[in-house]
Amino acid sequence: PMLARFAHAVTCTSLQQFNYFRKRCKGQTALISNGINPQLLAQLDSETGRHGSGPEVNFIGSLRNWYDFELLFEVFRDLPEMDLHIYGTGPLYEELLEKSHTIPNIQMHGNVEPSRTAPLLSGSFCGILPLKMNELNRSTCPIKLFDYWGASRAVISSPVEEVLRVGGDSLLYASTKEEYVSAIKRLARDKALAEQLGKEGRKKVDETHNYTSIIDQFMQILNIPEP
């Protein structure tokens, strides 16, 4: 609060952060959502011919307790016809590795080379964000959402506040195992819906959630004219 009070400006990536600092900052407070890394976006654009229509979902990220992996495992236990590939390491890696041994369609892969991220995202049937409904996830804007959208993938997410604000009707929401299973099966049946949601997400990336747009917003805050 002390730093915010005397700052020229405070930038926030979530509405909760924005509302908090707007009351404490004498300068301006700006809400600037996260965006996709431009290098990854360029790599995704080069992944021509990959549509993610196969029976696999690829999850790439840090394996920490802000995601409900227990729920995710139960979802794919009920979807034996679809594989879940989890890439990444973190405090939960060993625990998840042991659990995966009892579910044949869940595979743990550890860290992945950055050059493989784009092919994995493009090859994923859909994006999935089983975020826990806690205080941390109320005040953060998940970059993984924009990664899936950059690949034009439909996304299923827990209904946390930032995803609702950013995504609106452009993705499906689920809170329980039954709702996640139903949403995945719905996308599998309705290819047109999956394609539509993927296109809507990519449009949001192209228009707002990219570094060019973010830089422009910072330049306005700093009163720097465009070159």
Side-chain angles (χ1 to χ4, degrees):
M2 180 66 71
L3 289 174
R5 184 177 180 186
F6 295 102
H8 166 70
V10 173
T11 61
C12 311
T13 59
S14 75
L15 184 60
Q16 185 184 61
Q17 292 173 350
F18 175 79
N19 289 334
Y20 174 86
F21 284 110
R22 185 171 55 176
K23 299 175 182 178
R24 294 163 174 82
C25 181
K26 289 184 175 180
Q28 56 185 319
T29 305
L31 177 57
I32 304 177
S33 294
N34 281 325
I36 188 171
N37 184 299
Q39 183 177 1
L40 175 58
L41 188 60
Q43 292 171 345
L44 287 169
D45 287 340
S46 69
E47 288 293 313
T48 56
R50 294 179 63 85
H51 303 291
S53 58
E56 71 176 42
V57 172
N58 297 318
F59 179 96
I60 307 170
S62 181
L63 308 184
R64 298 178 181 274
N65 61 9
W66 50 65
Y67 286 104
D68 193 339
F69 288 105
E70 183 175 347
L71 171 61
L72 190 60
F73 275 40
E74 289 305 310
V75 167
F76 279 86
R77 191 190 295 274
D78 277 16
L79 292 169
E81 70 280 7
M82 184 170 291
D83 293 334
L84 172 65
H85 297 276
I86 299 178
Y87 297 85
T89 58
L92 299 180
Y93 178 79
E94 294 298 333
E95 176 185 344
L96 297 179
L97 179 62
E98 183 176 351
K99 286 184 178 180
S100 70
H101 293 158
T102 65
I103 310 175
N105 59 320
I106 296 181
Q107 303 294 323
M108 301 289 297
H109 298 280
N111 278 335
V112 60
E113 291 294 324
S115 60
R116 294 188 59 205
T117 299
L120 289 172
L121 290 170
S122 296
S124 186
F125 165 69
C126 68
I128 191 163
L129 297 175
L131 293 155
K132 289 186 175 181
M133 304 294 287
N134 56 29
E135 189 64 23
L136 172 65
N137 287 327
R138 289 185 64 234
S139 61
T140 56
C141 188
I143 294 177
K144 193 180 306 299
L145 172 63
F146 311 123
D147 291 349
Y148 282 128
W149 275 351
S152 298
R153 299 277 72 83
V155 177
I156 306 167
S157 173
S158 306
V160 295
E161 292 179 18
E162 267 315 287
V163 176
L164 286 166
R165 181 185 71 83
V166 171
D169 296 330
S170 295
L171 66 161
L172 301 181
Y173 298 98
S175 299
T176 65
K177 179 187 75 171
E178 292 76 17
E179 289 173 350
Y180 271 103
V181 170
S182 177
I184 292 172
K185 288 183 175 180
R186 181 183 176 189
L187 291 177
R189 290 192 309 268
D190 194 341
K191 296 295 196 299
L193 174 63
E195 184 176 354
Q196 173 193 335
L197 293 178
K199 286 181 177 178
E200 289 180 11
R202 178 54 194 254
K203 183 179 179 182
K204 287 179 179 290
V205 164
D206 290 338
E207 293 180 350
T208 305
H209 301 289
N210 60 78
Y211 279 26
T212 299
S213 175
I214 291 172
I215 289 171
D216 288 343
Q217 293 177 74
F218 272 101
M219 290 175 69
Q220 292 175 19
I221 292 170
L222 297 172
N223 295 317
I224 299 175
E226 294 187 9

